[in-house]
Amino acid sequence: MANIVEVRNLKLGEGIPKICVPLVGKTNEEILEEAKFLKNVKFDLIEWRVDHYENVEDLEKVKEIVKALREEVGETVILFTFRSKKEGGEIEVSDEYYAQLNKTVAETKLVDLVDVELFTGDEIVKDIVETAHNNGVKVVMSNHDFFKTPAKEEIISRLCKMQDLGADLPKIAVMPNTSEDVVTLLAATEEMSTKHANRPIITMSMGGLGLVSRLSGETFGSALTFGAAKAASAPGQISVDKLATILEVMHESK
């Protein structure tokens, strides 16, 4: 059984998969309005997708809105994510700025987790992980394939590499082109969580075809699932209300 990762009042890796809701506002007002809206929604943590933010390339402005966001959401867990263009994000920045952005935000200690993309390059990844951990911030290490589902062995190999690089929560999201692809992702998840993982993992198969993977984390071994409160941030996300209901039903009928 993979170990549990504790962040604030949240235990990732036990019981019902936790629900993460993306914030995708472009302006300070939109971001804080989205955060306010979440007060009436059932979820466990927020992912702030900073690549959507109009001032993402201004570190001082990013720090200011992080502070305002923390004040707005109180003790809610915040995952800080700059998703690169090549992995489905809004804009591209240099590797140097990507590292600086993540390290600067980790050093504020106002976020609980940062997302670090596995394929940014091992040295940059290690540098960000070290800074995050030195500031008590945990790392979701991620990889996204919006076109296909790699072979089961390749999925497991990437998740193992994330563990080796110090990820607290290895994460992979892949696109299925057939129902067999969905089975591949679920089989990789099950094998990783039972045979290789010594920490919780996060996996999903995207799009409508992969929807089952967003619901079956407790069965196959994925600790976190993403649901939309307003706007979906990836293909196949369903509303958090539906997600919470289905996860509870599945938990009770075990």
Side-chain angles (χ1 to χ4, degrees):
M1 180 62 196
N3 293 340
I4 289 165
V5 168
E6 289 197 42
V7 198
R8 288 186 192 259
N9 54 359
L10 206 57
K11 288 184 179 176
L12 291 153
E14 71 168 20
I16 300 179
K18 302 306 177 275
I19 297 174
C20 186
V21 175
L23 288 187
V24 292
K26 290 189 169 28
T27 64
N28 288 22
E29 294 71 34
E30 284 175 10
I31 291 161
L32 295 174
E33 195 182 306
E34 274 186 63
K36 274 195 186 78
F37 175 78
L38 292 179
K39 289 193 168 71
N40 309 311
V41 175
K42 187 168 180 170
F43 71 102
D44 299 293
L45 67 158
I46 285 170
E47 177 181 45
W48 179 32
R49 279 284 304 270
V50 69
D51 53 294
H52 286 261
Y53 181 43
E54 62 183 4
N55 297 318
V56 62
E57 293 181 77
D58 183 331
L59 284 175
E60 287 311 310
K61 289 198 169 139
V62 171
K63 283 199 286 188
E64 280 168 27
I65 184 65
V66 166
K67 190 165 180 290
L69 180 60
R70 170 52 72 205
E71 284 166 8
E72 178 60 45
V73 303
E75 284 298 301
T76 303
V77 172
I78 299 174
L79 162 60
F80 177 85
T81 299
F82 179 94
R83 180 67 58 240
S84 73
K85 191 100 171 171
K86 62 185 178 294
E87 298 220 5
E90 291 296 294
I91 64 162
E92 205 54 75
V93 295
S94 70
D95 287 347
E96 293 73 24
Y97 184 74
Y98 176 81
Q100 193 186 4
L101 175 68
N102 278 293
K103 291 192 319 187
T104 299
V105 169
E107 284 164 352
T108 68
K109 300 182 170 68
L110 292 167
V111 303
D112 305 289
L113 301 138
V114 291
D115 179 294
V116 182
E117 291 176 356
L118 171 66
F119 291 127
T120 313
D122 290 5
E123 293 317 307
I124 293 172
V125 167
K126 284 180 195 161
D127 184 29
I128 300 171
V129 168
E130 187 182 356
T131 302
H133 286 165
N134 286 344
N135 287 282
V137 173
K138 297 204 160 60
V139 175
V140 173
M141 202 172 293
S142 65
N143 172 237
H144 305 75
D145 190 324
F146 280 85
F147 301 102
K148 64 183 186 309
T149 298
K152 183 177 80 166
E153 294 69 28
E154 174 61 20
I155 293 172
I156 291 169
S157 154
R158 288 181 196 177
L159 290 166
C160 285
K161 182 168 186 192
M162 293 172 191
Q163 280 198 153
D164 295 343
L165 287 169
D168 298 285
L169 294 152
K171 172 194 173 191
I172 194 164
V174 296
M175 187 63 79
N177 293 304
T178 63
S179 53
E180 191 181 358
D181 284 345
V182 182
V183 175
T184 297
L185 181 275
L186 292 173
T189 305
E190 193 275 335
E191 188 171 317
M192 180 72 194
S193 67
T194 55
K195 298 198 171 90
H196 309 287
N198 53 13
R199 64 207 67 186
I201 60 168
I202 304 164
T203 68
M204 74 211 67
S205 182
M206 295 184 279
L209 201 52
L211 181 59
V212 62
S213 72
R214 296 182 182 275
L215 310 172
S216 58
E218 196 173 357
T219 306
F220 292 97
S222 177
L224 186 65
T225 187
F226 290 75
K230 279 188 171 177
S233 67
Q237 270 179 15
I238 62 169
S239 78
V240 284
D241 302 337
K242 285 181 184 157
L243 194 51
T245 305
I246 296 165
L247 291 176
E248 278 162 20
V249 169
M250 292 180 85
H251 179 71
E252 284 158 13
S253 59
K254 268 175 74 183

